[in-house]
Amino acid sequence: MVKKKVVKVAPPPRAAAPLPEGLAAVRDALGALGFAVQADAESGLAFMFEGGQYYVPAQGDDAGFYHLLFPNFWPLESDEEYGQALFACDAVNREAKLVKLHTVDGDVWAGVEALHAQPQEFVAALPRYLSFVQEAVRVFRDVMLAAQEAEDSAELHPEPLA
């Protein structure tokens, strides 16, 4: 009797969906600038910059719209801190160029939305966008820390009752 050897064959790996043309051009341009870029056709691009993870989400059919996101830079740990964060976001959003701060599921995010005719124009503006985001985050942190210091000071030195 001859024994047959059974060989298990793994299915071939599924090819990843191709990136939209504009997003692929942004990925390539970021790579040329030295960024290590992770790409996914559904979610977009991710890259590190000065210790933070940034994203350029896929935008579907709007080839001229670009969104740079810096998510989760400040976790919100209480309802009181959430209220302080809304105040700080509003203060930054009134003054910051191009940057919008907002809350998402218990965290604060920063983003820049821009319209560009070509992906290369977005990449050319990216260093400026990154500096705008970093400045907005710095101002947000300053406002939050000042609010927390004021709160701590009030707890240590309550005003006397009249």
Side-chain angles (χ1 to χ4, degrees), residues 8-9 14-15 54 64 86 96 110-111 126 129 145:
K8 292 185 179 182
V9 177
R14 266 183 33 194
Y54 289 78
L86 291 177
L126 188 61
Y129 295 160
L145 293 173

Side-chain angles (χ1 to χ4, degrees), residues 30-86:
L30 287 172
L33 292 173
F35 289 100
V37 181
Q38 296 175 337
D40 179 87
E42 289 183 24
S43 61
L45 308 176
F47 63 96
M48 295 294 291
F49 179 71
E50 295 197 4
Q53 179 108 29
Y54 289 78
Y55 295 90
V56 178
Q59 295 302 324
D61 295 337
D62 196 347
F65 178 75
Y66 295 89
H67 196 181
L68 172 67
L69 284 172
F70 182 44
N72 307 319
F73 70 85
W74 187 281
L76 301 172
E77 297 172 358
S78 68
D79 288 343
E80 186 173 306
E81 188 175 28
Y82 178 78
Q84 291 171 342
L86 291 177

Side-chain angles (χ1 to χ4, degrees), residues 15-162:
L19 286 174
E21 185 178 322
L23 209 52
V26 171
R27 178 204 55 209
D28 296 344
L30 287 172
L33 292 173
F35 289 100
V37 181
Q38 296 175 337
D40 179 87
E42 289 183 24
S43 61
L45 308 176
F47 63 96
M48 295 294 291
F49 179 71
E50 295 197 4
Q53 179 108 29
Y54 289 78
Y55 295 90
V56 178
Q59 295 302 324
D61 295 337
D62 196 347
F65 178 75
Y66 295 89
H67 196 181
L68 172 67
L69 284 172
F70 182 44
N72 307 319
F73 70 85
W74 187 281
L76 301 172
E77 297 172 358
S78 68
D79 288 343
E80 186 173 306
E81 188 175 28
Y82 178 78
Q84 291 171 342
L86 291 177
F87 173 80
C89 286
D90 187 50
V92 172
N93 290 341
R94 279 193 311 270
E95 301 296 327
K97 289 182 181 179
L98 297 176
V99 179
K100 291 186 212 173
L101 300 185
H102 58 280
T103 61
V104 177
D105 297 329
D107 284 296
V108 181
W109 293 33
V112 171
E113 297 176 340
L115 298 172
H116 292 284
Q118 299 296 321
Q120 294 78 9
E121 293 173 5
F122 170 73
V123 173
L126 188 61
R128 202 162 178 205
Y129 295 160
L130 289 166
S131 70
F132 288 162
V133 168
Q134 288 187 324
E135 177 62 13
V137 168
R138 186 193 62 75
V139 171
F140 174 87
R141 286 183 174 144
D142 288 350
V143 171
M144 289 296 287
L145 293 173
Q148 289 174 354
E149 285 176 14
E151 182 180 298
D152 291 345
S153 178
E155 288 176 6
L156 292 174
H157 308 291
E159 291 189 30
L161 297 174

Side-chain angles (χ1 to χ4, degrees), residues 1-5:
M1 179 185 238
V2 176
K3 286 189 173 183
K4 292 184 179 179
K5 187 175 181 181

